[in-house]
Amino acid sequence: MDFMMEGRGSYGGGSGDEQEASNDRKGKKTYHRHNPYQIQQLESFFRACPHPDENQRRQLSRELGLETKQIKFWFQNKRTQTKTQNERADNSSLRTENEKIQCENLAIREALRNVICPSCGGPPFGEEERQRNLHKLRLENAHLKEEHEKVSNLLAKYIGKPISQLESLLPVLGSSLDLSPRSSLTQIVLSPAVNLMSDPVILDRTATPYQSRGINDLENALMMETAATALEELIRLLRIDEPLWMKILNDGRGVLNRDSYEKIFPRPNHFKSSNARTESSKASGVVTMSAMQLVDAFLDADKWADLFPTVIINAETFHIIDPGMPGNRSGALQLMYQQMHIFSPLVSPRDFCFLRHCQQIEHGVWVIVDVSYEFLKDCVTSARCWRLPSGCMIQEMPNGCSKVTWVEHVEVDDKTQTHRLYRDLVFNTTAYGAERWVFTLQRMCERLAYTFRDCAPSHELGGVLTSNEGRRSIMKLSHRMVKNFCGVLSMSGKLDFPQLSEVNNSGVRISVRISSELGQPSGTIVSAATSLWLPLQPESIFNFFKDEKARVQWDVLSNGSPVHEIAHILTGVHPGNSILIIRQPFVPTENNMLILQESCIDPLGSLVIYAPIDMPAMNIATSGQDPSEILILPSGFVITGDGRSHSGVGASTSATSGRPSGSLLTVAFQILVSSVSSSKQLNVESVATVNTLISATVQRIKAALNCSGLD
């Protein structure tokens, strides 16, 4: 190998005989060529030692007859040459490999263009949808990793073993310890094979669809962690407007901006079905009740249900994890159950098992958060619902009032589609949204304030109510009447008879129950309800039912004779919020019967509910005695907008149906068909009688409102 060397001393690789000097050109560099023997020896030594030290270079210099600088320069150049050759070889190999990978990539891309779905035989997902799914899976994976770490830390803390030991125990425990993901926190489910409970609380709740089981320290810790995380999210939802919330153009209501929300609070969807959807809303208002009274009522299931009788049909407290600080209830945490239902049997009820956590975040300001919790797995509900962090902020105000800001955020998986009559109402969050909670709370707080007034204007009493105690007793009885009516509207165990009624195409819904409850007649009770659309404003229909002179036009029991109002009790500022005692027309067999009627109205709808009560029972209530045992079986009407325009004004037109927006009316009756507690007493004749009554009432209403030509 020939190797040219250049240096200040003109050192070369050849012998003295091969040196060529150019003395005639001053300053010209001289090159020396090593002979083959020198090159062979140098390369042999280079393979063994590429970096010779000073002693090794001097030894080579003596053996080969070269100067040490020549040896040094030769090894430097040889190392550079070797490095360059290696890089060229690596580049060539990488280039070949890259070309091979490119060919494989092109082949894979071509195969993906022609791939088909193995289940349906259709084309695959597009690139954009694939990227969205990948992004969603990455978020879910990150969330599950975080939840796994939380649970591992809790296990180490409460079981007292390090994580490494816990992982080694998992194969031994088998199915006894099940780590299952849940929406807010991974839950630890303990089977009877592993008993880690200390002083468990055994629940006995036969009135709900849940099966009871014990609560242990580990479960309590998980509940506390879930509630704390939900509280942090709710506070941000309450205090931040944009970009989390945006206004709906047609009515100005607030709904969550999904893109902004998912960036701040990334989480996988609880329901995976194609029917699942998310509902969100935010509203605020001032109520005539102190903040501390509201907090106490919200943490008591019975008081909570009494505050929302037209929304909540069942509420219970399963377990109190923390009662909160004495005086302000800050830190209270409890596990609760709630069933909600409104409007009509055509609307599915919603069931929630949830944690309720109360925290005073500053002086005079409380936040109460609700979040669903999978405590009981064997629940059977009519509609699958999952409450994401929702609730309210209660701010104390002067004069015993409070400002309430409400956020409602749920996932709903409708296995059965909502009936078309109520689909718009339910889907635009008017049905179960934040506004309904706020408006109902305002109306009920106002009603309570009227209940406990020290005196009532004399024109309300009509000579029948002579004391405040009597007025309060009547209001208490009427409140029970409203709760009973709203409770039966869900038609638990309903029977559908669409062929029985020709008044509309939604049919008549019939429910049969054997009653033995306090305050209700004992025997077989048939509840029947039907819903229909009317091209009128909700307030016009409400005023029609409120008018005692118009009662003869729809009440089939009035026999065409006018009724007379003998007592009038206001329950709010709006004149439509009132309780009436009505004397029926003289009928020889029923001359001792009166009618108790309550009506209520708010911006989202109205109710008119009434029940016949005999004279002796009414005397008990008007005298101020406890009305709890007075038998009452209410019927009535529920009026709401149809959801095509939030205000319910009939001038606007639906873009989907092409017809003007109007109102939805539900007519519901309860009839005692037999005083014998036996289902055998229910026969075709009884069903036909109920159907005839409700059909005749609907026909009378439509005729009176000039709507007889409607389907």
Side-chain angles (χ1 to χ4, degrees), residues 112 144 176 191 238 263 298 312 316 328 330 337 340 389 409 412 417 461 517 522 560 572 594 608 610 662 688:
L112 286 176
L144 291 175
S176 298
S191 75
L238 287 164
K263 289 178 182 178
F298 282 21
I312 300 173
E316 295 195 39
N328 62 12
S330 182
Y337 166 77
M340 303 164 55
H409 192 196
V412 182
Q417 291 293 326
L461 303 181
E517 299 179 19
S522 298
L594 299 175
V608 177
Y610 61 94

PDB file of all heavy atoms in Angstrom, residues 112 144 176 191 238 263 298 312 316 328 330 337 340 389 409 412 417 461 517 522 560 572 594 608 610 662 688:
ATOM      1  N   LEU A 112     -53.050  -1.683   2.919  1.00  0.00           N
ATOM      2  CA  LEU A 112     -54.037  -1.011   3.760  1.00  0.00           C
ATOM      3  C   LEU A 112     -55.124  -0.338   2.927  1.00  0.00           C
ATOM      4  O   LEU A 112     -56.271  -0.230   3.358  1.00  0.00           O
ATOM      5  CB  LEU A 112     -53.350   0.036   4.644  1.00  0.00           C
ATOM      6  CG  LEU A 112     -52.535  -0.511   5.818  1.00  0.00           C
ATOM      7  CD1 LEU A 112     -51.821   0.625   6.541  1.00  0.00           C
ATOM      8  CD2 LEU A 112     -53.443  -1.252   6.798  1.00  0.00           C
ATOM      9  N   LEU A 144     -55.558   5.459  32.712  1.00  0.00           N
ATOM     10  CA  LEU A 144     -55.544   4.186  33.438  1.00  0.00           C
ATOM     11  C   LEU A 144     -54.232   3.992  34.192  1.00  0.00           C
ATOM     12  O   LEU A 144     -54.220   3.447  35.300  1.00  0.00           O
ATOM     13  CB  LEU A 144     -55.787   3.032  32.465  1.00  0.00           C
ATOM     14  CG  LEU A 144     -57.198   2.955  31.864  1.00  0.00           C
ATOM     15  CD1 LEU A 144     -57.274   1.840  30.837  1.00  0.00           C
ATOM     16  CD2 LEU A 144     -58.240   2.735  32.941  1.00  0.00           C
ATOM     17  N   SER A 176     -60.296 -13.004  44.041  1.00  0.00           N
ATOM     18  CA  SER A 176     -60.702 -12.347  45.278  1.00  0.00           C
ATOM     19  C   SER A 176     -60.393 -10.862  45.258  1.00  0.00           C
ATOM     20  O   SER A 176     -61.028 -10.089  45.936  1.00  0.00           O
ATOM     21  CB  SER A 176     -59.988 -12.990  46.479  1.00  0.00           C
ATOM     22  OG  SER A 176     -60.350 -14.338  46.587  1.00  0.00           O
ATOM     23  N   SER A 191     -64.129  -9.766  47.265  1.00  0.00           N
ATOM     24  CA  SER A 191     -65.113 -10.839  47.351  1.00  0.00           C
ATOM     25  C   SER A 191     -65.082 -11.436  48.753  1.00  0.00           C
ATOM     26  O   SER A 191     -64.178 -11.166  49.536  1.00  0.00           O
ATOM     27  CB  SER A 191     -64.775 -11.920  46.318  1.00  0.00           C
ATOM     28  OG  SER A 191     -63.674 -12.671  46.759  1.00  0.00           O
ATOM     29  N   LEU A 238     -67.471  25.745  37.747  1.00  0.00           N
ATOM     30  CA  LEU A 238     -68.326  26.802  38.279  1.00  0.00           C
ATOM     31  C   LEU A 238     -67.720  28.186  38.079  1.00  0.00           C
ATOM     32  O   LEU A 238     -68.438  29.153  37.807  1.00  0.00           O
ATOM     33  CB  LEU A 238     -68.587  26.571  39.767  1.00  0.00           C
ATOM     34  CG  LEU A 238     -69.532  25.418  40.129  1.00  0.00           C
ATOM     35  CD1 LEU A 238     -69.400  25.065  41.600  1.00  0.00           C
ATOM     36  CD2 LEU A 238     -70.976  25.783  39.792  1.00  0.00           C
ATOM     37  N   LYS A 263     -59.563  18.783  26.828  1.00  0.00           N
ATOM     38  CA  LYS A 263     -58.155  19.146  26.975  1.00  0.00           C
ATOM     39  C   LYS A 263     -57.796  19.352  28.442  1.00  0.00           C
ATOM     40  O   LYS A 263     -56.715  18.990  28.889  1.00  0.00           O
ATOM     41  CB  LYS A 263     -57.853  20.413  26.177  1.00  0.00           C
ATOM     42  CG  LYS A 263     -57.852  20.212  24.670  1.00  0.00           C
ATOM     43  CD  LYS A 263     -57.581  21.531  23.950  1.00  0.00           C
ATOM     44  CE  LYS A 263     -57.631  21.337  22.443  1.00  0.00           C
ATOM     45  NZ  LYS A 263     -57.424  22.624  21.714  1.00  0.00           N
ATOM     46  N   PHE A 298     -79.565  19.747  51.563  1.00  0.00           N
ATOM     47  CA  PHE A 298     -78.940  18.945  50.512  1.00  0.00           C
ATOM     48  C   PHE A 298     -78.279  17.692  51.078  1.00  0.00           C
ATOM     49  O   PHE A 298     -78.144  16.694  50.362  1.00  0.00           O
ATOM     50  CB  PHE A 298     -77.895  19.774  49.762  1.00  0.00           C
ATOM     51  CG  PHE A 298     -78.487  20.736  48.757  1.00  0.00           C
ATOM     52  CD1 PHE A 298     -79.801  21.142  48.856  1.00  0.00           C
ATOM     53  CD2 PHE A 298     -77.722  21.245  47.722  1.00  0.00           C
ATOM     54  CE1 PHE A 298     -80.351  22.033  47.947  1.00  0.00           C
ATOM     55  CE2 PHE A 298     -78.258  22.125  46.802  1.00  0.00           C
ATOM     56  CZ  PHE A 298     -79.579  22.532  46.922  1.00  0.00           C
ATOM     57  N   ILE A 312     -87.430  14.671  41.803  1.00  0.00           N
ATOM     58  CA  ILE A 312     -86.920  13.489  42.497  1.00  0.00           C
ATOM     59  C   ILE A 312     -88.087  12.665  43.017  1.00  0.00           C
ATOM     60  O   ILE A 312     -88.923  13.165  43.775  1.00  0.00           O
ATOM     61  CB  ILE A 312     -86.004  13.896  43.662  1.00  0.00           C
ATOM     62  CG1 ILE A 312     -84.813  14.711  43.152  1.00  0.00           C
ATOM     63  CG2 ILE A 312     -85.508  12.661  44.412  1.00  0.00           C
ATOM     64  CD1 ILE A 312     -83.964  15.287  44.257  1.00  0.00           C
ATOM     65  N   GLU A 316     -82.245   8.332  48.824  1.00  0.00           N
ATOM     66  CA  GLU A 316     -81.833   7.673  50.064  1.00  0.00           C
ATOM     67  C   GLU A 316     -80.346   7.887  50.293  1.00  0.00           C
ATOM     68  O   GLU A 316     -79.579   8.051  49.343  1.00  0.00           O
ATOM     69  CB  GLU A 316     -82.132   6.175  50.009  1.00  0.00           C
ATOM     70  CG  GLU A 316     -83.614   5.836  49.925  1.00  0.00           C
ATOM     71  CD  GLU A 316     -83.862   4.380  50.246  1.00  0.00           C
ATOM     72  OE1 GLU A 316     -83.200   3.855  51.165  1.00  0.00           O
ATOM     73  OE2 GLU A 316     -84.712   3.771  49.577  1.00  0.00           O
ATOM     74  N   ASN A 328     -70.820  23.988  60.137  1.00  0.00           N
ATOM     75  CA  ASN A 328     -70.851  24.379  58.725  1.00  0.00           C
ATOM     76  C   ASN A 328     -70.882  23.193  57.767  1.00  0.00           C
ATOM     77  O   ASN A 328     -70.969  23.394  56.550  1.00  0.00           O
ATOM     78  CB  ASN A 328     -69.661  25.279  58.388  1.00  0.00           C
ATOM     79  CG  ASN A 328     -68.320  24.578  58.598  1.00  0.00           C
ATOM     80  OD1 ASN A 328     -68.242  23.366  58.787  1.00  0.00           O
ATOM     81  ND2 ASN A 328     -67.248  25.358  58.556  1.00  0.00           N
ATOM     82  N   SER A 330     -68.710  21.408  56.555  1.00  0.00           N
ATOM     83  CA  SER A 330     -67.620  21.334  55.590  1.00  0.00           C
ATOM     84  C   SER A 330     -66.896  19.997  55.717  1.00  0.00           C
ATOM     85  O   SER A 330     -66.588  19.544  56.820  1.00  0.00           O
ATOM     86  CB  SER A 330     -66.629  22.484  55.809  1.00  0.00           C
ATOM     87  OG  SER A 330     -65.595  22.447  54.840  1.00  0.00           O
ATOM     88  N   TYR A 337     -78.395   7.496  46.851  1.00  0.00           N
ATOM     89  CA  TYR A 337     -79.123   6.983  45.687  1.00  0.00           C
ATOM     90  C   TYR A 337     -80.225   7.970  45.339  1.00  0.00           C
ATOM     91  O   TYR A 337     -80.849   8.575  46.220  1.00  0.00           O
ATOM     92  CB  TYR A 337     -79.737   5.616  45.978  1.00  0.00           C
ATOM     93  CG  TYR A 337     -80.764   5.190  44.955  1.00  0.00           C
ATOM     94  CD1 TYR A 337     -80.374   4.710  43.709  1.00  0.00           C
ATOM     95  CD2 TYR A 337     -82.128   5.303  45.222  1.00  0.00           C
ATOM     96  CE1 TYR A 337     -81.317   4.341  42.762  1.00  0.00           C
ATOM     97  CE2 TYR A 337     -83.081   4.929  44.286  1.00  0.00           C
ATOM     98  CZ  TYR A 337     -82.669   4.444  43.053  1.00  0.00           C
ATOM     99  OH  TYR A 337     -83.595   4.085  42.120  1.00  0.00           O
ATOM    100  N   MET A 340     -84.767  10.062  39.372  1.00  0.00           N
ATOM    101  CA  MET A 340     -85.381  11.276  38.848  1.00  0.00           C
ATOM    102  C   MET A 340     -86.381  10.914  37.753  1.00  0.00           C
ATOM    103  O   MET A 340     -86.178   9.954  37.011  1.00  0.00           O
ATOM    104  CB  MET A 340     -84.312  12.206  38.259  1.00  0.00           C
ATOM    105  CG  MET A 340     -83.213  12.606  39.217  1.00  0.00           C
ATOM    106  SD  MET A 340     -81.791  13.293  38.331  1.00  0.00           S
ATOM    107  CE  MET A 340     -82.558  14.614  37.396  1.00  0.00           C
ATOM    108  N   PRO A 389     -68.733  14.978  37.426  1.00  0.00           N
ATOM    109  CA  PRO A 389     -68.778  15.974  38.500  1.00  0.00           C
ATOM    110  C   PRO A 389     -69.799  17.074  38.222  1.00  0.00           C
ATOM    111  O   PRO A 389     -69.678  17.840  37.266  1.00  0.00           O
ATOM    112  CB  PRO A 389     -67.342  16.511  38.534  1.00  0.00           C
ATOM    113  CG  PRO A 389     -66.516  15.331  38.121  1.00  0.00           C
ATOM    114  CD  PRO A 389     -67.337  14.625  37.075  1.00  0.00           C
ATOM    115  N   HIS A 409     -73.886  17.712  34.545  1.00  0.00           N
ATOM    116  CA  HIS A 409     -73.036  17.093  33.510  1.00  0.00           C
ATOM    117  C   HIS A 409     -73.170  15.575  33.630  1.00  0.00           C
ATOM    118  O   HIS A 409     -72.727  14.985  34.621  1.00  0.00           O
ATOM    119  CB  HIS A 409     -71.580  17.525  33.716  1.00  0.00           C
ATOM    120  CG  HIS A 409     -70.691  17.179  32.567  1.00  0.00           C
ATOM    121  ND1 HIS A 409     -69.308  17.184  32.665  1.00  0.00           N
ATOM    122  CD2 HIS A 409     -70.964  16.797  31.289  1.00  0.00           C
ATOM    123  CE1 HIS A 409     -68.789  16.837  31.506  1.00  0.00           C
ATOM    124  NE2 HIS A 409     -69.778  16.593  30.660  1.00  0.00           N
ATOM    125  N   VAL A 412     -75.361   9.685  29.172  1.00  0.00           N
ATOM    126  CA  VAL A 412     -76.594   8.907  29.100  1.00  0.00           C
ATOM    127  C   VAL A 412     -76.458   7.899  27.965  1.00  0.00           C
ATOM    128  O   VAL A 412     -76.035   8.239  26.859  1.00  0.00           O
ATOM    129  CB  VAL A 412     -77.819   9.808  28.853  1.00  0.00           C
ATOM    130  CG1 VAL A 412     -79.092   8.982  28.822  1.00  0.00           C
ATOM    131  CG2 VAL A 412     -77.909  10.889  29.921  1.00  0.00           C
ATOM    132  N   GLN A 417     -84.853   4.367  22.613  1.00  0.00           N
ATOM    133  CA  GLN A 417     -84.911   5.760  22.202  1.00  0.00           C
ATOM    134  C   GLN A 417     -86.055   6.493  22.910  1.00  0.00           C
ATOM    135  O   GLN A 417     -87.139   5.947  23.107  1.00  0.00           O
ATOM    136  CB  GLN A 417     -85.109   5.842  20.689  1.00  0.00           C
ATOM    137  CG  GLN A 417     -83.909   5.374  19.885  1.00  0.00           C
ATOM    138  CD  GLN A 417     -82.721   6.291  20.045  1.00  0.00           C
ATOM    139  OE1 GLN A 417     -82.871   7.498  20.189  1.00  0.00           O
ATOM    140  NE2 GLN A 417     -81.529   5.716  20.040  1.00  0.00           N
ATOM    141  N   LEU A 461    -108.110  33.211  52.907  1.00  0.00           N
ATOM    142  CA  LEU A 461    -108.727  32.223  53.788  1.00  0.00           C
ATOM    143  C   LEU A 461    -110.160  31.901  53.393  1.00  0.00           C
ATOM    144  O   LEU A 461    -110.626  30.787  53.603  1.00  0.00           O
ATOM    145  CB  LEU A 461    -108.669  32.721  55.227  1.00  0.00           C
ATOM    146  CG  LEU A 461    -107.240  33.042  55.730  1.00  0.00           C
ATOM    147  CD1 LEU A 461    -107.297  33.512  57.170  1.00  0.00           C
ATOM    148  CD2 LEU A 461    -106.345  31.823  55.609  1.00  0.00           C
ATOM    149  N   GLU A 517     -99.928   1.846  51.511  1.00  0.00           N
ATOM    150  CA  GLU A 517     -99.142   2.917  52.106  1.00  0.00           C
ATOM    151  C   GLU A 517    -100.015   3.828  52.961  1.00  0.00           C
ATOM    152  O   GLU A 517    -101.211   3.997  52.701  1.00  0.00           O
ATOM    153  CB  GLU A 517     -98.461   3.740  51.003  1.00  0.00           C
ATOM    154  CG  GLU A 517     -97.490   2.950  50.139  1.00  0.00           C
ATOM    155  CD  GLU A 517     -96.880   3.819  49.056  1.00  0.00           C
ATOM    156  OE1 GLU A 517     -96.931   5.059  49.201  1.00  0.00           O
ATOM    157  OE2 GLU A 517     -96.358   3.261  48.079  1.00  0.00           O
ATOM    158  N   SER A 522    -106.362   1.831  50.519  1.00  0.00           N
ATOM    159  CA  SER A 522    -105.872   0.453  50.416  1.00  0.00           C
ATOM    160  C   SER A 522    -106.671  -0.282  49.353  1.00  0.00           C
ATOM    161  O   SER A 522    -107.900  -0.191  49.302  1.00  0.00           O
ATOM    162  CB  SER A 522    -106.006  -0.265  51.765  1.00  0.00           C
ATOM    163  OG  SER A 522    -105.217   0.361  52.747  1.00  0.00           O
ATOM    164  N   GLY A 560    -121.255  18.782  34.280  1.00  0.00           N
ATOM    165  CA  GLY A 560    -121.674  19.998  33.587  1.00  0.00           C
ATOM    166  C   GLY A 560    -122.057  21.139  34.488  1.00  0.00           C
ATOM    167  O   GLY A 560    -122.535  22.177  34.015  1.00  0.00           O
ATOM    168  N   GLY A 572     -96.664  31.479  46.309  1.00  0.00           N
ATOM    169  CA  GLY A 572     -95.575  32.200  45.677  1.00  0.00           C
ATOM    170  C   GLY A 572     -96.045  33.525  45.138  1.00  0.00           C
ATOM    171  O   GLY A 572     -97.234  33.873  45.201  1.00  0.00           O
ATOM    172  N   LEU A 594    -115.046  17.426  48.672  1.00  0.00           N
ATOM    173  CA  LEU A 594    -114.365  18.643  48.247  1.00  0.00           C
ATOM    174  C   LEU A 594    -113.181  18.256  47.354  1.00  0.00           C
ATOM    175  O   LEU A 594    -112.779  17.086  47.295  1.00  0.00           O
ATOM    176  CB  LEU A 594    -113.872  19.440  49.455  1.00  0.00           C
ATOM    177  CG  LEU A 594    -114.942  19.933  50.444  1.00  0.00           C
ATOM    178  CD1 LEU A 594    -114.272  20.583  51.641  1.00  0.00           C
ATOM    179  CD2 LEU A 594    -115.890  20.909  49.764  1.00  0.00           C
ATOM    180  N   VAL A 608    -100.942  21.190  37.295  1.00  0.00           N
ATOM    181  CA  VAL A 608    -102.218  21.376  37.996  1.00  0.00           C
ATOM    182  C   VAL A 608    -102.612  20.002  38.524  1.00  0.00           C
ATOM    183  O   VAL A 608    -102.875  19.075  37.748  1.00  0.00           O
ATOM    184  CB  VAL A 608    -103.306  21.939  37.074  1.00  0.00           C
ATOM    185  CG1 VAL A 608    -104.622  22.047  37.832  1.00  0.00           C
ATOM    186  CG2 VAL A 608    -102.896  23.290  36.514  1.00  0.00           C
ATOM    187  N   TYR A 610    -104.880  17.711  41.464  1.00  0.00           N
ATOM    188  CA  TYR A 610    -106.057  17.797  42.330  1.00  0.00           C
ATOM    189  C   TYR A 610    -106.424  16.402  42.837  1.00  0.00           C
ATOM    190  O   TYR A 610    -106.024  15.380  42.269  1.00  0.00           O
ATOM    191  CB  TYR A 610    -107.237  18.417  41.575  1.00  0.00           C
ATOM    192  CG  TYR A 610    -107.674  17.626  40.371  1.00  0.00           C
ATOM    193  CD1 TYR A 610    -108.694  16.682  40.462  1.00  0.00           C
ATOM    194  CD2 TYR A 610    -107.066  17.812  39.130  1.00  0.00           C
ATOM    195  CE1 TYR A 610    -109.103  15.944  39.359  1.00  0.00           C
ATOM    196  CE2 TYR A 610    -107.467  17.087  38.012  1.00  0.00           C
ATOM    197  CZ  TYR A 610    -108.478  16.151  38.136  1.00  0.00           C
ATOM    198  OH  TYR A 610    -108.870  15.421  37.050  1.00  0.00           O
ATOM    199  N   GLY A 662     -95.048  24.244  20.050  1.00  0.00           N
ATOM    200  CA  GLY A 662     -96.228  24.346  20.899  1.00  0.00           C
ATOM    201  C   GLY A 662     -95.954  23.802  22.278  1.00  0.00           C
ATOM    202  O   GLY A 662     -94.897  24.052  22.858  1.00  0.00           O
ATOM    203  N   ALA A 688    -110.921  -0.785  30.630  1.00  0.00           N
ATOM    204  CA  ALA A 688    -111.759  -0.045  29.693  1.00  0.00           C
ATOM    205  C   ALA A 688    -112.365   1.186  30.352  1.00  0.00           C
ATOM    206  O   ALA A 688    -112.492   2.252  29.727  1.00  0.00           O
ATOM    207  CB  ALA A 688    -112.851  -0.955  29.153  1.00  0.00           C
TER     208      ALA A 688
END
